PDB file of all heavy atoms in Angstrom:
ATOM      1  N   VAL B 197     -14.205 -39.363 -43.879  1.00 98.00           N
ATOM      2  CA  VAL B 197     -15.529 -39.974 -43.690  1.00 98.00           C
ATOM      3  C   VAL B 197     -16.667 -39.042 -44.126  1.00 98.00           C
ATOM      4  O   VAL B 197     -17.838 -39.344 -43.902  1.00 98.00           O
ATOM      5  CB  VAL B 197     -15.774 -40.420 -42.222  1.00 98.00           C
ATOM      6  CG1 VAL B 197     -14.753 -41.448 -41.790  1.00 98.00           C
ATOM      7  CG2 VAL B 197     -15.820 -39.234 -41.265  1.00 98.00           C
ATOM      8  N   HIS B 200     -19.160 -40.794 -46.134  1.00 98.00           N
ATOM      9  CA  HIS B 200     -19.697 -42.041 -45.559  1.00 98.00           C
ATOM     10  C   HIS B 200     -21.203 -41.876 -45.327  1.00 98.00           C
ATOM     11  O   HIS B 200     -21.638 -40.836 -44.829  1.00 98.00           O
ATOM     12  CB  HIS B 200     -18.959 -42.318 -44.238  1.00 98.00           C
ATOM     13  CG  HIS B 200     -19.150 -43.703 -43.702  1.00 98.00           C
ATOM     14  ND1 HIS B 200     -20.348 -44.138 -43.218  1.00 98.00           N
ATOM     15  CD2 HIS B 200     -18.279 -44.735 -43.570  1.00 98.00           C
ATOM     16  CE1 HIS B 200     -20.214 -45.396 -42.803  1.00 98.00           C
ATOM     17  NE2 HIS B 200     -18.969 -45.782 -43.018  1.00 98.00           N
ATOM     18  N   PHE B 201     -21.975 -42.903 -45.652  1.00 98.00           N
ATOM     19  CA  PHE B 201     -23.434 -42.745 -45.556  1.00 98.00           C
ATOM     20  C   PHE B 201     -23.859 -42.443 -44.114  1.00 98.00           C
ATOM     21  O   PHE B 201     -24.788 -41.676 -43.863  1.00 98.00           O
ATOM     22  CB  PHE B 201     -24.158 -43.994 -46.091  1.00 98.00           C
ATOM     23  CG  PHE B 201     -24.148 -45.158 -45.143  1.00 98.00           C
ATOM     24  CD1 PHE B 201     -25.204 -45.353 -44.252  1.00 98.00           C
ATOM     25  CD2 PHE B 201     -23.077 -46.053 -45.116  1.00 98.00           C
ATOM     26  CE1 PHE B 201     -25.199 -46.421 -43.368  1.00 98.00           C
ATOM     27  CE2 PHE B 201     -23.071 -47.112 -44.236  1.00 98.00           C
ATOM     28  CZ  PHE B 201     -24.126 -47.305 -43.353  1.00 98.00           C
ATOM     29  N   ARG B 202     -23.144 -43.012 -43.160  1.00 98.00           N
ATOM     30  CA  ARG B 202     -23.526 -42.803 -41.751  1.00 98.00           C
ATOM     31  C   ARG B 202     -23.241 -41.347 -41.359  1.00 98.00           C
ATOM     32  O   ARG B 202     -24.041 -40.716 -40.660  1.00 98.00           O
ATOM     33  CB  ARG B 202     -22.736 -43.786 -40.869  1.00 98.00           C
ATOM     34  CG  ARG B 202     -23.366 -44.023 -39.521  1.00 98.00           C
ATOM     35  CD  ARG B 202     -22.789 -45.260 -38.835  1.00 98.00           C
ATOM     36  NE  ARG B 202     -23.342 -46.499 -39.327  1.00 98.00           N
ATOM     37  CZ  ARG B 202     -22.625 -47.483 -39.891  1.00 98.00           C
ATOM     38  NH1 ARG B 202     -21.306 -47.356 -40.021  1.00 98.00           N
ATOM     39  NH2 ARG B 202     -23.212 -48.572 -40.313  1.00 98.00           N
ATOM     40  N   THR B 203     -22.134 -40.817 -41.838  1.00 98.00           N
ATOM     41  CA  THR B 203     -21.815 -39.397 -41.585  1.00 98.00           C
ATOM     42  C   THR B 203     -22.928 -38.523 -42.161  1.00 98.00           C
ATOM     43  O   THR B 203     -23.436 -37.615 -41.497  1.00 98.00           O
ATOM     44  CB  THR B 203     -20.478 -39.010 -42.264  1.00 98.00           C
ATOM     45  OG1 THR B 203     -19.460 -39.859 -41.765  1.00 98.00           O
ATOM     46  CG2 THR B 203     -20.113 -37.560 -42.014  1.00 98.00           C
ATOM     47  N   GLN B 204     -23.304 -38.846 -43.381  1.00 98.00           N
ATOM     48  CA  GLN B 204     -24.285 -37.987 -44.042  1.00 98.00           C
ATOM     49  C   GLN B 204     -25.640 -38.042 -43.338  1.00 98.00           C
ATOM     50  O   GLN B 204     -26.311 -37.020 -43.204  1.00 98.00           O
ATOM     51  CB  GLN B 204     -24.393 -38.365 -45.515  1.00 98.00           C
ATOM     52  CG  GLN B 204     -23.056 -38.071 -46.208  1.00 98.00           C
ATOM     53  CD  GLN B 204     -23.134 -38.097 -47.711  1.00 98.00           C
ATOM     54  OE1 GLN B 204     -24.099 -38.605 -48.285  1.00 98.00           O
ATOM     55  NE2 GLN B 204     -22.108 -37.565 -48.351  1.00 98.00           N
ATOM     56  N   GLU B 205     -25.990 -39.233 -42.858  1.00 98.00           N
ATOM     57  CA  GLU B 205     -27.261 -39.347 -42.116  1.00 98.00           C
ATOM     58  C   GLU B 205     -27.216 -38.498 -40.850  1.00 98.00           C
ATOM     59  O   GLU B 205     -28.180 -37.823 -40.499  1.00 98.00           O
ATOM     60  CB  GLU B 205     -27.485 -40.810 -41.704  1.00 98.00           C
ATOM     61  CG  GLU B 205     -28.179 -41.633 -42.775  1.00 98.00           C
ATOM     62  CD  GLU B 205     -28.294 -43.108 -42.363  1.00 98.00           C
ATOM     63  OE1 GLU B 205     -28.254 -43.419 -41.147  1.00 98.00           O
ATOM     64  OE2 GLU B 205     -28.416 -43.923 -43.280  1.00 98.00           O
ATOM     65  N   ILE B 206     -26.095 -38.564 -40.169  1.00 98.00           N
ATOM     66  CA  ILE B 206     -25.979 -37.821 -38.901  1.00 98.00           C
ATOM     67  C   ILE B 206     -25.943 -36.322 -39.173  1.00 98.00           C
ATOM     68  O   ILE B 206     -26.630 -35.543 -38.508  1.00 98.00           O
ATOM     69  CB  ILE B 206     -24.744 -38.299 -38.102  1.00 98.00           C
ATOM     70  CG1 ILE B 206     -24.955 -39.751 -37.651  1.00 98.00           C
ATOM     71  CG2 ILE B 206     -24.479 -37.394 -36.903  1.00 98.00           C
ATOM     72  CD1 ILE B 206     -23.728 -40.437 -37.110  1.00 98.00           C
ATOM     73  N   VAL B 207     -25.163 -35.927 -40.154  1.00 98.00           N
ATOM     74  CA  VAL B 207     -25.064 -34.498 -40.489  1.00 98.00           C
ATOM     75  C   VAL B 207     -26.453 -33.946 -40.839  1.00 98.00           C
ATOM     76  O   VAL B 207     -26.818 -32.840 -40.429  1.00 98.00           O
ATOM     77  CB  VAL B 207     -24.056 -34.281 -41.645  1.00 98.00           C
ATOM     78  CG1 VAL B 207     -24.138 -32.860 -42.188  1.00 98.00           C
ATOM     79  CG2 VAL B 207     -22.634 -34.585 -41.173  1.00 98.00           C
ATOM     80  N   VAL B 296     -17.521 -43.683 -37.196  1.00 98.00           N
ATOM     81  CA  VAL B 296     -18.657 -44.108 -38.032  1.00 98.00           C
ATOM     82  C   VAL B 296     -18.373 -45.405 -38.787  1.00 98.00           C
ATOM     83  O   VAL B 296     -19.284 -45.980 -39.391  1.00 98.00           O
ATOM     84  CB  VAL B 296     -19.067 -43.002 -39.041  1.00 98.00           C
ATOM     85  CG1 VAL B 296     -19.590 -41.777 -38.316  1.00 98.00           C
ATOM     86  CG2 VAL B 296     -17.906 -42.637 -39.957  1.00 98.00           C
TER      87      VAL B 296
END
Side-chain angles (χ1 to χ4, degrees):
Chain B
V197 300
H200 194 291
F201 77 93
R202 201 164 281 120
T203 302
Q204 295 194 345
E205 273 176 23
I206 294 168
V207 169
V296 295

